[in-house]
Amino acid sequence: MNVIGLGSAGCGIADALSKYSQYKIFKIDVDISGDRCYNVIKLETAEEYENHDFPGIDKFLKNLKGKTFFIVGGSGKISCASLRVLESIKHLPISIIYIKPDYELLNKVQKMQDRVVFGVLQEYARSAVFDDIYLVSNQALDTILGGAPIIGYHEKLNEIFATTFHMVNVFQNTKPVIGKIEKPKETHRILTIGIFDAEKNEEKMFFSLDNARERCYIYSINEDKLKTDNNLFNTLKTQVKSKATEDLNITYAVYSTNYDYDLGYVIERTPRIQEQEIK
Ligand SMILES: Nc1nc2c(ncn2[C@@H]2O[C@H](COP(=O)(O)OP(=O)(O)OP(=O)(O)O)[C@@H](O)[C@H]2O)c(=O)[nH]1
Ligand SMILES: [Mg+2]
Protein backbone atom coordinates (compact mmCIF):
# COMPACT_ATOMS: atom_id res chain seq x y z
CA MET A 1 0.00 0.00 0.00
CA ASN A 2 1.21 3.50 -0.80
CA VAL A 3 0.84 6.48 1.49
CA ILE A 4 1.18 10.00 0.12
CA GLY A 5 1.31 12.86 2.63
CA LEU A 6 0.75 16.45 1.47
CA GLY A 7 1.59 19.40 3.76
CA SER A 8 2.50 19.21 7.41
CA ALA A 9 -0.41 17.09 8.67
CA GLY A 10 -0.18 14.73 5.69
CA CYS A 11 3.58 14.28 6.07
CA GLY A 12 3.34 13.98 9.88
CA ILE A 13 0.88 11.11 9.62
CA ALA A 14 2.88 9.54 6.80
CA ASP A 15 5.88 9.59 9.17
CA ALA A 16 3.81 7.92 11.89
CA LEU A 17 2.86 5.16 9.44
CA SER A 18 6.43 4.65 8.28
CA LYS A 19 7.19 2.28 11.16
CA TYR A 20 4.90 -0.30 9.59
CA SER A 21 6.50 -2.16 6.72
CA GLN A 22 3.19 -2.47 4.85
CA TYR A 23 3.26 1.14 3.67
CA LYS A 24 5.45 2.74 1.06
CA ILE A 25 5.69 6.37 2.14
CA PHE A 26 5.81 9.44 -0.14
CA LYS A 27 5.91 13.00 1.19
CA ILE A 28 5.16 16.27 -0.57
CA ASP A 29 5.81 19.58 1.18
CA VAL A 30 8.00 22.68 1.25
CA ASP A 31 11.46 22.37 2.78
CA ILE A 32 11.77 18.61 2.69
CA SER A 33 14.43 16.38 1.26
CA GLY A 34 15.28 12.70 1.26
CA ASP A 35 14.12 9.48 -0.22
CA ARG A 36 10.58 9.62 -1.68
CA CYS A 37 10.24 13.29 -0.74
CA TYR A 38 9.04 15.88 -3.25
CA ASN A 39 10.17 19.38 -2.31
CA VAL A 40 7.66 22.08 -3.27
CA ILE A 41 8.75 25.68 -3.73
CA LYS A 42 7.23 27.92 -1.09
CA LEU A 43 4.30 29.91 -2.44
CA GLU A 44 2.35 32.69 -0.77
CA THR A 45 -1.29 31.82 -1.33
CA ALA A 46 -3.63 28.85 -1.71
CA GLU A 47 -4.45 30.03 -5.26
CA GLU A 48 -0.79 29.90 -6.20
CA TYR A 49 -0.57 26.32 -4.96
CA GLU A 50 -3.77 25.45 -6.80
CA ASN A 51 -2.34 26.76 -10.08
CA HIS A 52 1.21 25.54 -9.55
CA ASP A 53 2.22 22.89 -12.07
CA PHE A 54 4.43 20.76 -9.76
CA PRO A 55 7.24 20.01 -12.22
CA GLY A 56 8.28 16.38 -12.16
CA ILE A 57 5.42 15.23 -9.90
CA ASP A 58 4.20 12.70 -12.49
CA LYS A 59 7.66 11.19 -12.55
CA PHE A 60 7.89 11.26 -8.74
CA LEU A 61 4.70 9.20 -8.48
CA LYS A 62 5.21 7.22 -11.67
CA ASN A 63 5.95 3.79 -10.27
CA LEU A 64 3.11 3.63 -7.79
CA LYS A 65 0.91 0.59 -8.07
CA GLY A 66 -2.13 -0.58 -6.16
CA LYS A 67 -4.00 0.89 -3.23
CA THR A 68 -2.94 4.42 -2.34
CA PHE A 69 -3.84 6.54 0.67
CA PHE A 70 -3.58 10.31 0.21
CA ILE A 71 -3.42 12.28 3.47
CA VAL A 72 -4.01 16.01 3.81
CA GLY A 73 -4.95 18.51 6.52
CA GLY A 74 -7.69 20.88 5.41
CA SER A 75 -6.65 24.39 6.34
CA GLY A 76 -3.15 24.65 4.90
CA LYS A 77 -2.42 26.62 1.75
CA ILE A 78 -0.74 23.64 0.19
CA SER A 79 -3.87 21.51 0.71
CA CYS A 80 -5.38 23.43 -2.20
CA ALA A 81 -2.94 21.55 -4.45
CA SER A 82 -4.57 18.22 -3.54
CA LEU A 83 -6.38 17.75 -6.85
CA ARG A 84 -3.26 18.62 -8.83
CA VAL A 85 -1.30 15.91 -7.01
CA LEU A 86 -4.14 13.39 -7.23
CA GLU A 87 -4.36 14.02 -10.97
CA SER A 88 -0.98 12.28 -11.33
CA ILE A 89 -2.28 9.04 -9.79
CA LYS A 90 -5.87 9.03 -10.99
CA HIS A 91 -5.48 5.56 -12.50
CA LEU A 92 -4.93 4.06 -9.02
CA PRO A 93 -7.49 3.03 -6.36
CA ILE A 94 -7.30 5.96 -3.96
CA SER A 95 -8.57 6.54 -0.44
CA ILE A 96 -8.36 10.05 0.94
CA ILE A 97 -7.57 10.70 4.59
CA TYR A 98 -8.74 14.19 5.45
CA ILE A 99 -7.57 15.77 8.72
CA LYS A 100 -9.95 18.34 10.09
CA PRO A 101 -8.04 21.15 11.78
CA ASP A 102 -8.99 22.58 15.13
CA TYR A 103 -11.29 25.44 14.12
CA GLU A 104 -10.61 27.51 17.21
CA LEU A 105 -7.11 28.15 15.96
CA LEU A 106 -7.92 29.15 12.39
CA ASN A 107 -8.29 32.54 10.78
CA LYS A 108 -10.99 33.29 8.23
CA VAL A 109 -8.88 32.46 5.19
CA GLN A 110 -7.78 29.12 6.63
CA LYS A 111 -11.38 28.20 7.45
CA MET A 112 -12.35 29.02 3.90
CA GLN A 113 -9.53 26.90 2.49
CA ASP A 114 -10.57 24.07 4.74
CA ARG A 115 -14.19 24.30 3.64
CA VAL A 116 -13.24 24.10 -0.01
CA VAL A 117 -10.87 21.15 0.42
CA PHE A 118 -13.29 19.29 2.70
CA GLY A 119 -16.21 19.82 0.32
CA VAL A 120 -14.39 19.02 -2.90
CA LEU A 121 -12.70 15.85 -1.64
CA GLN A 122 -15.99 14.52 -0.28
CA GLU A 123 -17.80 15.28 -3.56
CA TYR A 124 -15.15 13.43 -5.54
CA ALA A 125 -15.31 10.47 -3.19
CA ARG A 126 -19.08 10.37 -3.34
CA SER A 127 -19.01 10.32 -7.10
CA ALA A 128 -16.55 7.40 -6.90
CA VAL A 129 -13.55 9.24 -8.37
CA PHE A 130 -11.90 8.00 -5.15
CA ASP A 131 -12.74 4.75 -3.37
CA ASP A 132 -13.64 6.59 -0.20
CA ILE A 133 -12.67 9.35 2.22
CA TYR A 134 -11.69 8.92 5.88
CA LEU A 135 -12.61 11.92 8.05
CA VAL A 136 -10.47 12.56 11.11
CA SER A 137 -10.77 15.51 13.46
CA ASN A 138 -7.75 16.78 15.37
CA GLN A 139 -10.06 17.91 18.14
CA ALA A 140 -11.56 14.43 18.46
CA LEU A 141 -8.08 12.90 18.67
CA ASP A 142 -7.13 15.45 21.33
CA THR A 143 -10.22 14.62 23.40
CA ILE A 144 -9.57 10.88 23.15
CA LEU A 145 -5.99 11.39 24.32
CA GLY A 146 -7.17 13.65 27.13
CA GLY A 147 -4.88 16.38 25.76
CA ALA A 148 -1.18 16.22 24.91
CA PRO A 149 1.88 18.33 25.70
CA ILE A 150 2.65 21.23 23.38
CA ILE A 151 6.01 19.81 22.42
CA GLY A 152 5.30 16.72 20.36
CA TYR A 153 1.60 17.57 20.24
CA HIS A 154 0.96 16.63 16.64
CA GLU A 155 3.14 13.53 16.94
CA LYS A 156 0.85 12.26 19.70
CA LEU A 157 -2.24 12.86 17.54
CA ASN A 158 -0.57 11.22 14.57
CA GLU A 159 0.43 8.22 16.66
CA ILE A 160 -3.06 7.39 17.88
CA PHE A 161 -4.47 7.80 14.40
CA ALA A 162 -1.71 5.77 12.71
CA THR A 163 -1.92 2.87 15.18
CA THR A 164 -5.69 2.62 14.87
CA PHE A 165 -5.71 3.03 11.11
CA HIS A 166 -3.05 0.35 10.77
CA MET A 167 -4.86 -2.13 13.04
CA VAL A 168 -8.11 -1.63 11.13
CA ASN A 169 -6.22 -2.31 7.88
CA VAL A 170 -4.66 -5.44 9.34
CA PHE A 171 -8.04 -6.79 10.43
CA GLN A 172 -9.53 -6.03 7.04
CA ASN A 173 -6.94 -8.40 5.61
CA THR A 174 -7.23 -11.11 8.26
CA LYS A 175 -9.78 -13.87 8.59
CA PRO A 176 -12.00 -13.34 11.64
CA VAL A 177 -12.92 -16.15 14.04
CA ILE A 178 -16.55 -15.20 13.70
CA GLY A 179 -18.53 -12.40 12.03
CA LYS A 180 -17.17 -10.38 9.13
CA ILE A 181 -16.10 -6.91 8.10
CA GLU A 182 -18.68 -6.58 5.37
CA LYS A 183 -17.90 -4.98 2.06
CA PRO A 184 -19.41 -1.50 2.40
CA LYS A 185 -22.44 -0.47 0.45
CA GLU A 186 -21.48 1.07 -2.89
CA THR A 187 -22.71 4.55 -1.89
CA HIS A 188 -21.20 4.57 1.62
CA ARG A 189 -17.95 6.25 0.69
CA ILE A 190 -17.56 8.67 3.57
CA LEU A 191 -16.21 7.05 6.71
CA THR A 192 -14.38 7.38 9.96
CA ILE A 193 -12.79 4.96 12.38
CA GLY A 194 -12.51 4.86 16.14
CA ILE A 195 -11.56 2.92 19.22
CA PHE A 196 -14.00 0.68 21.06
CA ASP A 197 -13.82 -0.22 24.72
CA ALA A 198 -15.99 -3.34 24.92
CA GLU A 199 -15.86 -3.50 28.71
CA LYS A 200 -17.18 0.04 29.08
CA ASN A 201 -19.32 -0.39 25.98
CA GLU A 202 -17.95 2.90 24.70
CA GLU A 203 -16.79 3.95 21.24
CA LYS A 204 -14.54 6.92 20.67
CA MET A 205 -14.80 8.01 17.07
CA PHE A 206 -12.18 10.08 15.26
CA PHE A 207 -14.88 12.19 13.63
CA SER A 208 -18.48 12.78 14.57
CA LEU A 209 -20.31 11.59 11.45
CA ASP A 210 -23.84 12.81 10.80
CA ASN A 211 -26.23 10.29 9.28
CA ALA A 212 -24.07 7.22 9.86
CA ARG A 213 -25.67 4.25 8.12
CA GLU A 214 -23.38 1.36 8.93
CA ARG A 215 -21.02 0.60 11.74
CA CYS A 216 -18.75 -2.38 12.15
CA TYR A 217 -17.38 -3.40 15.56
CA ILE A 218 -14.03 -5.14 15.50
CA TYR A 219 -13.23 -7.20 18.59
CA SER A 220 -9.71 -8.42 19.14
CA ILE A 221 -9.91 -10.92 22.00
CA ASN A 222 -7.45 -13.16 23.82
CA GLU A 223 -7.41 -16.62 22.28
CA ASP A 224 -7.81 -18.55 25.57
CA LYS A 225 -10.85 -16.50 26.40
CA LEU A 226 -12.29 -17.24 22.96
CA LYS A 227 -11.74 -20.94 23.62
CA THR A 228 -13.12 -21.13 27.14
CA ASP A 229 -15.61 -18.36 27.91
CA ASN A 230 -19.12 -19.76 27.49
CA ASN A 231 -20.87 -16.44 27.91
CA LEU A 232 -18.71 -14.27 25.72
CA PHE A 233 -20.56 -14.77 22.46
CA ASN A 234 -23.95 -13.99 24.00
CA THR A 235 -22.60 -10.91 25.74
CA LEU A 236 -21.06 -9.73 22.55
CA LYS A 237 -24.18 -10.31 20.47
CA THR A 238 -26.28 -8.42 22.99
CA GLN A 239 -23.82 -5.56 22.91
CA VAL A 240 -23.80 -5.38 19.14
CA LYS A 241 -27.58 -5.63 18.89
CA SER A 242 -28.05 -2.79 21.36
CA LYS A 243 -26.21 -0.43 18.99
CA ALA A 244 -28.59 -0.81 16.06
CA THR A 245 -31.21 1.78 15.21
CA GLU A 246 -33.65 2.02 12.34
CA ASP A 247 -31.08 3.90 10.24
CA LEU A 248 -27.91 2.29 11.49
CA ASN A 249 -26.91 -1.17 10.38
CA ILE A 250 -24.51 -2.92 12.75
CA THR A 251 -22.06 -5.67 11.93
CA TYR A 252 -19.17 -7.18 13.86
CA ALA A 253 -16.06 -9.26 13.44
CA VAL A 254 -14.13 -11.11 16.15
CA TYR A 255 -10.40 -11.73 15.92
CA SER A 256 -8.15 -13.86 18.05
CA THR A 257 -5.05 -12.38 19.71
CA ASN A 258 -2.29 -13.60 22.00
CA TYR A 259 -2.27 -10.35 23.93
CA ASP A 260 -3.56 -10.50 27.51
CA TYR A 261 -5.77 -7.52 26.91
CA ASP A 262 -8.64 -7.11 24.48
CA LEU A 263 -8.84 -4.34 21.92
CA GLY A 264 -11.72 -2.94 19.94
CA TYR A 265 -12.14 -0.77 16.88
CA VAL A 266 -15.02 0.70 14.91
CA ILE A 267 -15.54 1.56 11.25
CA GLU A 268 -18.46 3.86 10.55
CA ARG A 269 -19.82 4.89 7.16
CA THR A 270 -22.32 7.25 5.58
CA PRO A 271 -23.36 8.16 2.04
CA ARG A 272 -23.97 11.78 3.07
CA ILE A 273 -21.57 14.66 2.54
CA GLN A 274 -20.70 16.20 5.91
CA GLU A 275 -21.18 19.92 6.40
CA GLN A 276 -18.41 22.10 7.73
CA GLU A 277 -19.36 24.36 10.60
CA ILE A 278 -19.83 27.90 9.37
CA LYS A 279 -18.40 30.60 11.58
N1 LIG B 1 -2.95 15.62 13.05
C1 LIG B 1 -2.02 16.50 12.65
N2 LIG B 1 -2.37 17.75 12.35
C2 LIG B 1 -1.42 18.61 11.94
C3 LIG B 1 -0.05 18.24 11.83
N3 LIG B 1 0.65 19.31 11.40
C4 LIG B 1 -0.24 20.30 11.24
N4 LIG B 1 -1.48 19.89 11.57
C5 LIG B 1 -2.73 20.65 11.50
O1 LIG B 1 -3.12 20.70 10.13
C6 LIG B 1 -3.58 22.00 9.78
C7 LIG B 1 -2.81 22.49 8.58
O2 LIG B 1 -1.45 22.55 8.87
P1 LIG B 1 -0.51 23.75 8.41
O3 LIG B 1 0.84 23.53 8.97
O4 LIG B 1 -1.21 25.03 8.74
O5 LIG B 1 -0.55 23.67 6.85
P2 LIG B 1 0.14 22.90 5.68
O6 LIG B 1 -0.76 21.73 5.33
O7 LIG B 1 1.58 22.55 5.88
O8 LIG B 1 -0.01 23.99 4.54
P3 LIG B 1 0.72 25.45 4.41
O9 LIG B 1 -0.27 26.47 4.84
O10 LIG B 1 0.96 25.52 2.94
O11 LIG B 1 1.97 25.39 5.22
C8 LIG B 1 -3.39 22.86 11.02
O12 LIG B 1 -4.65 23.02 11.62
C9 LIG B 1 -2.50 22.06 11.95
O13 LIG B 1 -2.90 22.19 13.30
C10 LIG B 1 0.30 16.89 12.16
O14 LIG B 1 1.45 16.45 12.10
N5 LIG B 1 -0.73 16.08 12.55
MG1 LIG C 1 3.25 23.87 5.74
Side-chain angles (χ1 to χ4, degrees):
M1 287 177 278
N2 307 299
V3 168
I4 304 175
L6 174 67
S8 66
C11 292
I13 291 173
D15 280 334
L17 286 167
S18 67
K19 69 172 176 227
Y20 305 110
S21 61
Q22 285 91 337
Y23 309 102
K24 197 168 170 187
I25 308 289
F26 296 81
K27 296 194 285 182
I28 303 171
D29 204 352
V30 296
D31 295 328
I32 53 167
S33 59
D35 204 22
R36 301 204 197 112
C37 289
Y38 179 97
N39 184 48
V40 185
I41 56 159
K42 190 166 166 49
L43 299 170
E44 294 308 317
T45 63
E47 289 71 29
E48 285 178 65
Y49 278 111
E50 201 179 341
N51 297 319
H52 184 54
D53 68 339
F54 287 77
I57 192 89
D58 288 346
K59 188 158 169 259
F60 175 69
L61 298 171
K62 189 178 68 176
N63 293 324
L64 266 67
K65 285 194 181 64
K67 182 70 184 180
T68 301
F69 294 95
F70 175 85
I71 315 175
V72 66
S75 61
K77 294 194 281 287
I78 206 169
S79 67
C80 296
S82 293
L83 293 182
R84 169 62 192 98
V85 174
L86 287 160
E87 175 71 22
S88 301
I89 50 162
K90 62 180 177 201
H91 53 291
L92 298 175
I94 297 167
S95 287
I96 307 290
I97 300 173
Y98 158 85
I99 308 300
K100 181 186 171 172
D102 184 345
Y103 256 45
E104 280 178 23
L105 305 173
L106 300 188
N107 63 36
K108 221 169 156 184
V109 174
Q110 290 170 317
K111 283 181 190 167
M112 213 169 66
Q113 281 158 198
D114 179 61
R115 220 162 35 237
V116 172
V117 172
F118 186 58
V120 168
L121 291 177
Q122 286 188 89
E123 290 286 355
Y124 273 73
R126 207 178 59 157
S127 52
V129 172
F130 309 130
D131 289 353
D132 49 22
I133 179 166
Y134 290 68
L135 307 183
V136 177
S137 142
N138 272 349
Q139 213 157 25
L141 297 177
D142 178 296
T143 305
I144 292 166
L145 285 169
I150 291 178
I151 293 182
Y153 180 78
H154 283 131
E155 286 74 10
K156 283 269 188 282
L157 266 53
N158 297 346
E159 183 59 31
I160 187 174
F161 172 74
T163 313
T164 308
F165 173 78
H166 175 64
M167 289 309 287
V168 168
N169 271 339
V170 168
F171 289 125
Q172 275 175 317
N173 293 297
T174 310
K175 198 173 149 32
V177 180
I178 202 160
K180 193 177 175 198
I181 301 180
E182 301 282 349
K183 202 167 165 272
K185 221 175 136 183
E186 175 73 23
T187 52
H188 292 181
R189 293 181 187 268
I190 296 169
L191 75 149
T192 192
I193 56 175
I195 296 167
F196 179 55
D197 185 332
E199 219 154 90
K200 290 191 185 146
N201 194 14
E202 189 179 65
E203 51 280 280
K204 295 176 175 169
M205 303 308 295
F206 291 175
F207 191 97
S208 167
L209 276 191
D210 289 330
N211 300 299
R213 291 290 178 265
E214 58 178 299
R215 200 188 286 160
C216 180
Y217 287 86
I218 298 169
Y219 292 83
S220 167
I221 299 178
N222 174 270
E223 189 179 357
D224 289 336
K225 203 155 137 188
L226 289 173
K227 280 180 176 157
T228 56
D229 189 330
N230 288 334
N231 299 320
L232 185 61
F233 195 30
N234 278 328
T235 311
L236 202 146
K237 280 191 289 191
T238 310
Q239 185 166 58
V240 168
K241 247 189 258 166
S242 75
K243 306 283 185 185
T245 66
E246 203 177 315
D247 294 329
L248 186 62
N249 186 40
I250 305 284
T251 56
Y252 68 93
V254 179
Y255 295 85
S256 163
T257 169
N258 295 322
Y259 293 141
D260 293 336
Y261 47 91
D262 302 337
L263 292 169
Y265 301 95
V266 189
I267 308 172
E268 189 176 67
R269 290 183 175 264
T270 177
R272 297 273 192 88
I273 300 235
Q274 307 292 296
E275 301 286 329
Q276 196 58 285
E277 49 195 299
I278 297 168
K279 273 187 201 161

